[in-house]
Amino acid sequence: MDLVEVIPNRLHMLRFPIGQAYLWQDGEALTLVDAGNVASAAEIEGAIRSLGLLPERLERIVLTHCHRDHVGAAGELAARWGARVLAHRLDAPVIRGERPVPEPVLLDWEIPLYAHGLTVPEAPPTRVDRELEDGDALDFGDGAYVVHAPGHTDGSIAVHLPQHGVLFTGDSVAAVGPLMLGVFNVDRGRAVESFRRLAALAPSVACFGHGDPLTVDTAAALAEAADEAPA
């Protein structure tokens, strides 16, 4: 796992072989956006300690959607350190293991990438302490807001921190190569609509589920990529 500083003393990316998570600091209080795969808990704890922070100050884990590379370590971290797990109402039953993970509608070029993604171990059933809706306020980042962004999954969300100009897009947007619509969508048309809604927020920092964060000319780059995304 690589630990990458995005905003000094505020935001770090935790990059795994497939996917990534983000650690937000409000002083000593911590929020994790996504949680890597099921084997990531020890690495995440180690990353927190390497920053001189305490894992017991992890207050919440916000899951952007139900896929295994985002949910995996959430249950173990929550059980160990008392953090609350938050996810959208529509993905919560999948995260809890009550419903199967929805199958995406794959384009031909996505098929081998999807097969590679399935090499990540399945996430165990994980409790969800709070089911989220569009517009819900979250108590971190001087005011964080849930943005429902369906298409990748029905319950995909982004998290917007307007006071800091930060947007966590989950897998609705990707930056592996060119900035683009995220892959493996259950509904590509809705995914494009969500991409455009997120771009309209005009963040100065965009953090993706896959690919390096965008910190320069972010709003313009998102707007251009969203306009070019084919439905």
Side-chain angles (χ1 to χ4, degrees):
M1 186 203 76
D2 297 324
L3 181 63
V4 180
E5 184 180 76
V6 182
I7 301 175
N9 300 314
R10 277 291 192 180
L11 177 60
H12 286 78
M13 177 176 69
L14 290 71
R15 182 164 51 205
F16 307 102
I18 295 178
Q20 50 217 30
Y22 293 90
L23 183 70
W24 179 268
Q25 299 172 231
D26 289 303
E28 296 181 351
L30 306 176
T31 296
L32 193 65
V33 179
D34 289 326
N37 64 63
V38 68
S40 299
E43 290 182 305
I44 293 171
E45 179 183 336
I48 291 171
R49 292 190 186 279
S50 76
L51 295 170
L53 303 168
L54 299 175
E56 52 263 43
R57 294 303 306 273
L58 181 61
E59 296 186 353
R60 65 190 64 77
I61 302 168
V62 185
L63 301 176
T64 61
H65 62 289
C66 62
H67 286 162
R68 60 182 70 185
D69 56 326
H70 295 257
V71 173
E76 182 176 348
L77 291 168
R80 185 179 297 177
W81 303 113
R84 301 181 72 223
V85 179
L86 287 63
H88 191 273
R89 170 181 56 84
L90 295 177
D91 272 18
V94 182
I95 293 166
R96 290 193 294 259
E98 299 164 359
R99 295 180 187 171
V101 177
E103 290 291 333
V105 179
L106 298 174
L107 302 175
D108 288 345
W109 63 268
E110 293 179 316
I111 293 173
L113 294 176
Y114 188 66
H116 179 60
L118 292 179
T119 63
V120 174
E122 288 189 23
T126 298
R127 77 170 198 258
V128 176
D129 299 298
R130 179 180 172 186
E131 295 188 8
L132 302 172
E133 299 282 358
D134 185 57
D136 280 354
L138 306 179
D139 190 21
F140 75 98
D142 300 302
Y145 296 91
V146 173
V147 184
H148 187 206
H152 184 63
T153 65
D154 289 340
S156 286
I157 61 169
V159 181
H160 186 211
L161 280 58
Q163 294 299 316
H164 297 275
V166 172
L167 179 68
F168 301 96
T169 73
D171 281 2
S172 296
V173 187
V176 181
L179 192 62
M180 61 182 285
L181 180 72
V183 296
F184 315 151
N185 298 300
V186 299
D187 187 325
R188 188 174 178 84
R190 294 186 79 194
V192 171
E193 291 174 2
S194 292
F195 188 178
R196 291 172 180 162
R197 183 184 182 199
L198 298 183
L201 296 172
S204 53
V205 175
C207 298
F208 313 108
H210 300 271
D212 289 341
L214 189 58
T215 61
V216 177
D217 297 328
T218 304
L222 281 172
E224 181 179 358
D227 286 343
E228 293 177 352

